[in-house]
Amino acid sequence: MTSSPSLHSRVIVVGSGPAGYTAAIYAARAMLEPVLVAGFEQGGQLMITTDVENYPGFAETIQGPWLMEQMRLQAEHVGAKLISDHIVEARLGKRPFELLGDSGRLYTCDALIIATGAKARWLGLPSEEKFKGFGVSACATCDGFFFRGKRVVVVGGGNTAVEEALYLSNIASHVTIVHRRDSFRAERVLQERLRRQENIEILFDHVIEEIGGDENPLSVTHARAKNVSTGALRTLETDGVFVAIGHSPASELFRGQLALKPSGYIAVEPGTTRTSIPGVFAAGDVADEVYRQAVTAAGLGCMAALEAEHYLMETPVGV
Ligand code: FAD
Ligand code: NAP
């Protein structure tokens, strides 16, 4: 049973991050009248960040949510149809391809562009699960405000962790960044800013073993860190733990239907966005385990739309 009539489009784009919006812009300008299903996180990962300083075209620092709003407006302006729904099932063994929305609506298409991006990764500790939303977070820009004048821990060593630590250092009284190795993988410019910030302490070669706190109300009071070389344990007094250990590709929906890499990223033919099923294209972070930048996601979205256009020109409908 579906709640609304099914909707057919020549091209459906799944995802509304930089890859999805760019694919929709190019497909709309190719007169393919694309439908873009935005997903639960409309605008994608850049909606949960603040400053974006490396997206070309802007001499001044811009804000992630503002950039995504511009992309949305541009996609709508050129004629893409945006739909607020989240795909819960994909049937790629059929022509046209079928997608089922969380709303109960069925979507069908002759070509599909997957731009579902990536999702925050967690440490996998039972105590992390227990305090999620009660002192444990994966988004400093969303939850940092609750830690004004308090102590926080940030876990990770990539760009996200360093940016989160810098952001939180302007809100919290003290930030400890805990990284499992003795050097960051974050860009040098960010590392230098981190080292200049007086209320940030760097704890290398440590992993968080447990997060502890009070039961009533449920709140974090400390985290236990283990030295990876010596095994020595150390208790960090903290009111919050921000987990920033990267993202996993949002490809589960397609597992068993499309070829995935062992890492879970959708496999594409080198130099293209073509997946293992003709007519299905994958763009952005869901298929890119190397670069994972807004500008590369946008570039791959452009490639996917151009490849979908060629595919549709060469393939009779229904084949
Ligand atoms: P995403 O932005 O991840 O978007 C995925 C989209 O897919 C979302 O709209 C989601 O709702 C949708 N979706 C997922 N599953 C479904 C489904 N089942 N049905 C429908 N829709 C679905 N990069 C930079 O270049 N510069 C930066 O300064 C920068 N800062 C960052 C800061 C943070 C905190 C983070 C987390 C990332 C940052 N990045 C930055 C990386 C950048 O955000 C990503 O590379 C980029 O957003 C990837 O774009 P994408 O379109 O592939 O996917
Ligand atoms: P990332 O680059 O994959 O870094 C993840 C970090 O978490 C690594 O330091 C990793 O350690 C650590 N880690 C992973 N699993 C762990 C675990 N189980 N326990 C403890 N630590 C763990 O992820 P990211 O920082 O989220 O960045 C993702 C992409 O977005 C990157 O391509 C990045 O460049 C981009 N991005 C860009 C910007 C920007 O341009 N300003 C900002 C944010 C993100 P190891 O180092 O030991 O592997």
Side-chain angles (χ1 to χ4, degrees):
M1 272 294 271
T2 55
S3 59
S4 348
S6 68
L7 176 67
H8 181 78
S9 166
R10 296 222 75 199
V11 181
I12 287 183
V13 179
V14 184
S16 55
Y21 280 146
T22 308
I25 290 165
Y26 274 79
R29 286 175 51 81
M31 313 305 278
L32 293 172
E33 300 179 343
V35 163
L36 181 147
V37 183
F40 289 143
E41 287 96 28
Q42 180 160 347
Q45 292 170 64
L46 284 187
M47 297 300 283
I48 59 161
T49 191
T50 50
D51 295 356
V52 175
E53 297 176 352
N54 52 13
Y55 196 84
F58 305 96
E60 306 288 333
T61 298
I62 54 167
Q63 300 297 300
W66 177 85
L67 178 62
M68 297 320 299
E69 176 68 356
Q70 299 307 306
M71 290 194 199
R72 180 183 70 76
L73 291 170
Q74 190 177 358
E76 286 187 319
H77 177 72
V78 294
K81 184 178 169 66
L82 263 60
I83 293 192
S84 294
D85 202 351
H86 192 86
I87 301 302
V88 293
E89 196 181 328
R91 299 171 202 135
L92 307 183
K94 298 182 164 185
R95 303 286 165 139
F97 302 122
E98 288 184 2
L99 302 165
L100 183 65
D102 184 60
S103 63
R105 194 169 193 186
L106 182 70
Y107 303 91
T108 61
C109 58
D110 302 318
L112 173 65
I113 297 175
I114 300 168
T116 47
K119 285 203 166 57
R121 209 178 276 154
W122 294 93
L123 294 168
L125 305 170
S127 52
E128 170 191 61
E129 195 57 44
K130 175 176 172 180
F131 289 105
K132 251 184 216 171
F134 297 91
V136 172
S137 167
C139 177
T141 47
C142 319
D143 301 324
F145 185 72
F146 302 115
F147 297 89
R148 266 171 307 158
K150 297 186 173 181
R151 296 175 71 86
V152 294
V153 164
V154 174
V155 188
N159 277 337
T160 302
V162 172
E163 281 193 343
E164 303 248 296
L166 286 167
Y167 176 79
L168 287 164
S169 69
N170 293 318
I171 301 171
S173 60
H174 186 269
V175 179
T176 307
I177 181 162
V178 179
H179 181 37
R180 63 183 178 184
R181 289 189 297 118
D182 64 355
S183 63
F184 291 118
R185 67 170 64 227
E187 286 171 38
R188 290 217 92 77
V189 62
L190 294 174
Q191 293 189 38
E192 273 162 31
R193 277 184 215 163
L194 189 81
R195 292 198 164 90
R196 279 202 300 269
Q197 202 70 13
E198 283 181 357
N199 62 342
I200 299 182
E201 182 186 340
I202 299 169
L203 189 58
F204 279 135
D205 294 319
H206 277 74
V207 289
I208 298 296
E209 280 233 314
E210 200 196 354
I211 298 163
D214 292 335
E215 290 295 324
N216 197 11
L218 202 57
S219 53
V220 169
T221 56
H222 64 274
R224 200 135 18 241
K226 186 173 88 174
N227 185 310
V228 290
S229 323
T230 65
L233 290 173
R234 184 171 161 174
T235 299
L236 306 171
E237 304 295 330
T238 188
D239 301 293
V241 177
F242 286 84
V243 179
I245 59 167
H247 291 75
S248 306
S251 58
E252 277 310 305
L253 203 55
F254 310 103
R255 190 174 285 280
Q257 304 192 65
L258 285 179
L260 304 183
K261 294 182 189 170
S263 52
Y265 288 81
I266 295 179
V268 290
E269 270 177 50
T272 79
T273 63
R274 288 197 287 268
T275 69
S276 55
I277 297 184
V280 179
F281 304 87
D285 281 16
V286 73
D288 169 18
E289 60 188 320
V290 180
Y291 303 107
R292 296 174 298 164
Q293 301 294 307
V295 66
T296 44
L300 289 161
C302 158
M303 285 168 60
L306 296 178
E307 286 168 359
E309 184 189 0
H310 287 144
Y311 168 82
L312 290 170
M313 276 193 308
E314 287 165 6
T315 314
V317 173
V319 173

